[in-house]
Amino acid sequence: MTEDGICSELKSQVFTYLDELRESGVTNMYGAPSYVREEFGVGKREAMSLVSSWMRDFEARVSAGEVS
């Protein structure tokens, strides 16, 4: 479990999925929670938490120069 109570394995899978979703351009990332809900069968609150966590992580990776 991570500090936000989400399984580390699920979080890793969702982060990979969200990276791919972002690159695909199918939706902006504010619409991503509905995709996470459908793909991973999680509730609205958990999907929002996962996407919020991914956004913070993505911002940190951008700041570190890991992604653009």
Side-chain angles (χ1 to χ4, degrees):
M1 290 283 184
T2 61
E3 70 281 352
D4 50 12
I6 298 171
C7 171
S8 298
E9 184 177 332
L10 174 62
K11 193 170 187 176
S12 176
Q13 291 172 353
V14 171
F15 278 27
T16 299
Y17 175 79
L18 289 170
D19 283 338
E20 292 170 0
L21 182 64
R22 179 188 163 271
E23 289 177 22
S24 76
V26 169
T27 185
N28 69 42
M29 297 316 289
Y30 292 105
S34 62
Y35 285 84
V36 171
R37 288 177 66 193
E38 186 174 317
E39 183 71 22
F40 294 94
V42 298
K44 185 176 183 178
R45 190 170 291 188
E46 188 171 16
M48 291 292 292
S49 178
L50 285 160
V51 172
S52 293
S53 184
W54 176 85
M55 287 181 172
R56 287 188 301 275
D57 180 75
F58 183 78
E59 191 173 302
R61 290 186 288 152
V62 168
S63 293
E66 297 173 12
V67 293
S68 56

